[in-house]
Amino acid sequence: MARYGMALNYKNCINCRACETACKEENGVLLGKDNYRIWVGVKEAEGLFPNISIASQTYHPSQCQHCSNAPCQLVCPTNATYYSKDGIVKVDPVKCILCTYCINACPYDARYVDQRTITVDKCTFCSDTRLANGETTTACQATCPTKVRVFGDLDDPTSEISQLLAKKEYRRVKEHLGTEPKLFYIL
Amino acid sequence: MNTISLKKLFYFEKTPLNLLMAFITVALLGAFAAGAVLYILHGHHAYNVTRQHPWGLLISMYVFFVVSSTGLCIISSIGHVFGIPEFQQIGKRAIAGAIITISSGFAVIALEIGHPVTMLIYNVLTPGLTSAIWWMGTLYGMYLAFICLEFFFLAIKENHTLSKFFGIGGLLVGLAAHSNLGAVFGFLVSRPSANGVFYPVYFILSAMITGCYLIFLMYGFRYKMNFPAKVEVMLVKLSKILGMLLAVLIFFEAWKILTAVYGDLPERGATIMHSIKHPNFWFGELILGMLIPFTIILVSNAKAIKATVYASITGMVGIFFMRYDLVHDTLLYPMRTLKISEYELAPTFLEYFPSFAEFAIGFGGIGISLFLYYVADKVFNLDESHSH
Ligand code: SF4
Ligand code: SF4
Ligand code: SF4
């Protein structure tokens, strides 16, 4: 079985948000302020004019971290949130009671209420829309003009992502919480 | 149990206080119905909860009701579980109150949980044993069954042994359920200001305080402040217990705040500082909920029970703010720390104010409690029965 993860050359991000659009298109995510699986955080430049640090203005593309020790999964009262056999954290809309406990528990604000099913939704690594059809990339990855994302199997040492992580230094977000995120930000 | 006609059920002495209570009850019941209709029409859009602040007033009010219920159950157990004679008399009234308040809580939460029927099915089919909500819900279901049986054997088919048996069961399950409700917040690793041992313990403590306030209110209303000697003795004792519990709570809160701000750990110190500067905390929780009742008890050496009845009103308002802040403060610190659109400022502490529907349903729940209490008081003899 695969163990999917994603590496992000986040410094290449130009904040074009093609990924946000592609994700909505591919996965039928509705329009609306709270409805998104993926987003680009903008860190504003630091310093006072004229000493503004250009290097400090960075973009942080983000989505569900597919934590290996996911708080959202631990707190779910009906096991609606579960790990797929590929380590992808998913929500079963049949079992979700919309208690929204998982939204509170996720340290990354990765979850929202899908107004189509009235249950909680989040990034699925495109498992239903692409991986299930034999594709090996995610929509956000395929669309990215600067190729920020590398998606693949962390257990396969020859995969592009494993090779990349073996060579590069990276950090993970809020690692101190012990969530073991599977999004790797290449430094 | 009294058999009474419908006409008798709705007959009451038309004193100004009774009329006021009747008006409040009907108004709140109407509000609940209006809120429920809004929810049925618009779902969660009727509420001001968002992706970043997914829980709001309704969760607070649910906690408010179940805290009240557990508190009444704990305080009543002083008499009929632990056998302290002066407290025997509150058993029936307190357990009736416990059943009523938790039922109101369930009515409120049913309009907050998106799919309550799915919950009943999948709580059983695929239980999430690592979820504090699963434990809390399951244990509270058992608790309700226990205290209903306890009430049955206290008030309907009197049987001391069985009422005591179910009383002990209800108490233990209630304590477990209630501390699990604290753990719903205490287990949140994502929220450093809530994470930890504080809430599970604090919930039990504040439940006992709530139980005391409610006993004072129920007896103040029952005897219109002219307490028989026997009741007065009990209330003076209860007032001493309340004073001690409040002292523990104040001590506990002080250390919670000090440990939280000491060293200013990320996401924790600033969150707690932000919340204690808000009037909800220093006026609502601290002055109304703790200091006014505590001062009255301290100054009067626990003897001013009439004043304590009035202080129980501010006390319950304070308890409401404690429940409201519990939810809001837990969610205060944003989990998305960077701005994602050009048209916003960098995220800071989250704002939330309940919508009309949330107020209507949440406070409407109090109407349900008042109405059921009125009925219970008519149908069952909630005073101590004289057979023992
Ligand atoms: S990022 Fe949030 S939603 Fe995704 S697996 Fe981790 S805790 Fe769950
Ligand atoms: S909202 Fe749904 S997925 Fe989230 S914890 Fe509740 S039941 Fe589980
Ligand atoms: S992996 Fe798929 S579902 Fe996840 S953010 Fe990218 S496009 Fe959306």
Side-chain angles (χ1 to χ4, degrees):
Chain A
M1 276 304 116
R3 188 167 64 88
Y4 286 121
M6 189 179 265
L8 296 100
N9 287 296
Y10 76 100
K11 289 182 181 167
N12 291 353
C13 176
I14 54 171
N15 196 20
C16 69
R17 303 186 187 180
C19 52
E20 293 182 14
T21 314
C23 178
K24 274 200 193 300
E25 192 62 32
E26 188 77 78
N27 298 296
V29 178
L30 296 178
L31 294 175
K33 185 156 100 14
D34 281 353
N35 303 333
Y36 53 88
R37 292 180 174 188
I38 183 169
W39 64 96
V40 180
V42 179
K43 188 170 162 299
E44 279 174 302
E46 289 165 6
L48 286 177
F49 182 81
N51 299 317
I52 293 176
S53 153
I54 298 173
S56 70
Q57 187 183 31
T58 46
Y59 303 121
H60 293 259
S62 196
Q63 63 215 62
C64 167
Q65 308 275 334
H66 293 280
C67 310
S68 303
N69 181 24
C72 60
Q73 196 280 333
L74 272 177
V75 303
C76 180
T78 56
N79 280 319
T81 294
Y82 66 100
Y83 300 103
S84 79
K85 53 186 179 8
D86 298 322
I88 300 174
V89 177
K90 295 178 75 172
V91 181
D92 179 350
V94 173
K95 290 185 192 165
C96 175
I97 64 171
L98 199 64
C99 62
T100 64
Y101 193 14
C102 54
I103 306 187
N104 293 299
C106 169
Y108 308 98
D109 188 36
R111 297 180 155 242
Y112 70 101
V113 181
D114 181 0
Q115 300 302 330
R116 297 167 302 175
T117 54
I118 319 284
T119 53
V120 167
D121 191 33
K122 60 186 277 301
C123 162
T124 57
F125 273 161
C126 292
S127 53
D128 306 320
T129 42
R130 293 173 70 96
L131 301 188
N133 304 331
E135 303 249 15
T136 54
T137 59
T138 67
C140 50
Q141 171 191 21
T143 200
C144 180
T146 55
K147 295 293 159 239
V148 165
R149 289 174 175 77
V150 176
F151 170 78
D153 182 2
L154 297 166
D155 279 349
D156 172 3
T158 61
S159 68
E160 191 186 349
I161 183 168
S162 298
Q163 293 283 317
L164 188 64
L165 294 178
K167 284 193 215 104
K168 299 269 187 171
E169 223 186 324
Y170 58 81
R171 74 178 176 85
R172 297 185 290 174
V173 185
K174 294 193 185 176
E175 223 174 340
H176 63 281
L177 295 178
T179 50
E180 295 290 327
K182 291 206 288 288
L183 248 54
F184 304 85
Y185 288 80
I186 307 286
L187 294 171
Chain B
M1 193 169 159
N2 319 321
T3 24
I4 58 167
S5 65
L6 213 52
K7 193 172 162 204
K8 242 171 136 186
L9 180 64
F10 289 104
Y11 172 79
F12 58 88
E13 222 185 307
K14 304 280 181 298
T15 62
L17 180 63
N18 282 350
L19 285 170
L20 177 70
M21 289 307 289
F23 174 75
I24 292 176
T25 307
V26 172
L28 289 176
L29 281 176
F32 186 87
V37 169
L38 281 173
Y39 174 67
I40 290 163
L41 291 178
H42 304 290
H44 278 171
H45 297 293
Y47 305 155
N48 279 351
V49 291
T50 60
R51 171 178 183 140
Q52 296 253 347
H53 203 298
W55 283 351
L57 180 69
L58 294 190
I59 298 283
S60 304
M61 287 309 287
Y62 169 71
V63 178
F64 178 83
F65 285 116
V66 299
V67 167
S68 303
S69 177
T70 319
L72 285 169
C73 174
I74 299 174
I75 299 297
S76 82
S77 68
I78 300 176
H80 72 276
V81 174
F82 295 108
I84 311 286
E86 296 88 339
F87 287 87
Q88 305 270 3
Q89 57 184 315
I90 64 175
K92 265 192 272 179
R93 195 172 292 279
I95 293 300
I99 296 173
I100 288 166
T101 43
I102 196 164
S103 307
S104 311
F106 282 159
V108 169
I109 201 74
L111 300 178
E112 155 69 24
I113 297 281
H115 307 286
V117 179
T118 313
M119 175 182 81
L120 295 176
I121 299 168
Y122 285 100
N123 255 4
V124 179
L125 291 187
T126 55
L129 297 181
T130 52
S131 167
I133 284 199
W134 187 87
W135 284 100
M136 182 270 294
T138 308
L139 289 167
Y140 264 128
M142 284 167 65
Y143 163 81
L144 181 58
F146 271 115
I147 58 173
C148 283
L149 287 165
E150 179 184 5
F151 186 75
F152 181 80
F153 290 115
L154 271 176
I156 300 171
K157 197 170 181 305
E158 273 186 53
N159 182 327
H160 251 328
T161 329
L162 284 178
S163 76
K164 187 165 176 175
F165 172 76
F166 287 114
I168 295 172
L171 177 67
L172 292 178
V173 179
L175 286 171
H178 200 54
S179 44
N180 262 291
L181 180 55
V184 167
F185 298 88
F187 277 163
L188 288 173
V189 284
S190 57
R191 313 282 174 169
S193 67
N195 187 220
V197 71
F198 181 78
Y199 279 134
V201 182
Y202 163 84
F203 265 49
I204 302 293
L205 180 62
S206 68
M208 291 164 81
I209 291 172
T210 314
C212 294
Y213 286 151
L214 287 175
I215 301 271
F216 269 102
L217 290 177
M218 288 198 277
Y219 275 87
F221 189 73
R222 162 72 182 85
Y223 291 106
K224 306 285 176 301
M225 297 293 197
N226 292 316
F227 302 107
K230 193 174 170 200
V231 173
E232 189 156 346
V233 172
M234 181 274 289
L235 288 180
V236 168
K237 292 216 161 152
L238 188 65
S239 171
K240 287 187 181 152
I241 296 177
L242 175 58
M244 185 199 68
L245 292 171
L246 282 169
V248 176
L249 178 64
I250 293 166
F251 187 77
F252 210 36
E253 280 276 355
W255 278 109
K256 172 197 144 174
I257 293 167
L258 286 171
T259 48
V261 296
Y262 189 86
D264 198 18
L265 279 189
E267 296 187 28
R268 195 174 71 168
T271 308
I272 299 288
M273 272 317 270
H274 186 83
S275 61
I276 61 176
K277 280 188 204 148
H278 198 282
N280 275 3
F281 174 78
W282 61 259
F283 183 70
E285 290 193 39
L286 193 62
I287 296 183
L288 296 181
M290 302 179 214
L291 293 183
I292 291 180
F294 185 65
T295 313
I296 288 175
I297 294 169
L298 194 69
V299 170
S300 73
N301 203 6
K303 297 225 167 54
I305 53 175
K306 283 183 195 163
T308 312
V309 171
Y310 289 116
S312 295
I313 300 176
T314 75
M316 284 308 290
V317 176
I319 294 283
F320 162 75
F321 280 111
M322 290 181 208
R323 303 294 83 96
Y324 183 85
D325 289 350
L326 157 82
V327 173
H328 180 54
D329 294 351
T330 299
L331 303 180
L332 205 51
Y333 195 89
M335 291 292 104
R336 173 168 69 71
T337 44
L338 297 175
K339 67 176 207 172
I340 59 169
S341 103
E342 286 308 314
Y343 312 104
E344 68 173 341
L345 298 169
T348 132
F349 290 114
L350 296 171
E351 305 272 348
Y352 163 79
F353 194 77
S355 69
F356 170 76
E358 286 174 286
F359 275 122
I361 295 171
F363 290 155
I366 299 176
I368 300 182
S369 279
L370 293 175
F371 175 69
L372 292 178
Y373 180 70
Y374 171 80
V375 173
D377 204 20
K378 286 261 164 163
V379 175
F380 306 103
N381 176 18
L382 295 183
D383 292 326
E384 193 181 16
S385 30
H386 294 291
S387 58
H388 47 271

